[in-house]
Amino acid sequence: MTETTSETTKAPSPRRKFLGWLWACLGLAAVAEICWIGMSFLLFRRERSAAAKTARLVVAGPVDRFQPETVTAIPEGGVYLARLASGGFLALSRTCTHLGCSINWDEKTGRFACPCHGSTFDLTGAVLTPPAPRPLDIYPVRIEDGVVKIDVASRRRRNRYDPGQATRIES
Ligand code: FES
């Protein structure tokens, strides 16, 4: 009986101590590796979402190419560029706000028309004929060194047309 008690209070052997340290080191290495994998994943996601938010500029052309009260299709960006009577520019989505059909610009009527359910929109993208519930979405327009550029990565939804949405040439 006395022998058993003295055995349990004995200090661990050097071999046990070594194994204990080894397990502790392996545990730390595993935790570090899991943390590294987690951080890599989070950084990758952050970089990807930052890249997705980066502007994608499509060059439409020099300002003079677009006359007031005209609409030009910009196939590279999948948008229509409207130049308003005021001289301002609006880049309009081709997607109807009713159920998503592609709209067409009708030069004769001076309207955008949706072939699916008959919605029409004016030069600013405002609804003239429902069932479209809201104006066409827009994209930011920049004018740099006399050249019109459209950021086709930043589509904006709007509930009404406001003249402030048009990009004007700085004087
Ligand atoms: S999808 Fe354009 S009017 Fe219905």
Side-chain angles (χ1 to χ4, degrees), residues 110-125:
R111 296 175 171 202
F112 293 100
C114 180
C116 294
H117 311 102
S119 287
T120 59
F121 307 83
D122 71 10
L123 192 75
T124 68

Side-chain angles (χ1 to χ4, degrees), residues 32-166:
E33 191 166 343
I34 288 169
C35 287
W36 182 79
I37 290 170
M39 289 295 290
S40 301
F41 177 72
L42 290 176
L43 285 174
F44 172 74
R45 281 187 58 175
R46 212 169 93 181
E47 279 171 18
R48 213 172 63 173
S49 77
K53 286 178 191 163
T54 304
R56 189 166 80 81
L57 291 179
V58 167
V59 175
V63 169
D64 299 344
R65 182 182 148 201
F66 309 101
Q67 297 306 307
E69 295 190 88
T70 59
V71 169
T72 308
I74 310 293
E76 308 93 292
V79 300
Y80 282 112
L81 182 66
R83 185 155 195 198
L84 310 181
S86 65
F89 288 91
L90 274 177
L92 301 162
S93 166
R94 290 179 161 214
T95 305
C96 179
T97 54
H98 180 223
L99 293 176
C101 290
S102 288
I103 54 149
N104 300 304
W105 172 247
D106 184 346
E107 194 72 54
K108 286 182 195 156
T109 60
R111 296 175 171 202
F112 293 100
C114 180
C116 294
H117 311 102
S119 287
T120 59
F121 307 83
D122 71 10
L123 192 75
T124 68
V127 178
L128 293 171
T129 315
R134 58 186 174 78
L136 298 171
D137 293 343
I138 55 173
Y139 297 86
V141 175
R142 293 185 200 173
I143 299 171
E144 295 173 346
D145 298 326
V147 175
V148 183
K149 298 174 182 176
I150 304 164
D151 179 3
V152 294
S154 305
R155 185 162 149 170
R156 292 183 188 161
R157 187 184 168 120
R158 58 190 175 146
N159 292 319
R160 63 187 178 80
Y161 165 66
D162 181 294
Q165 293 164 354

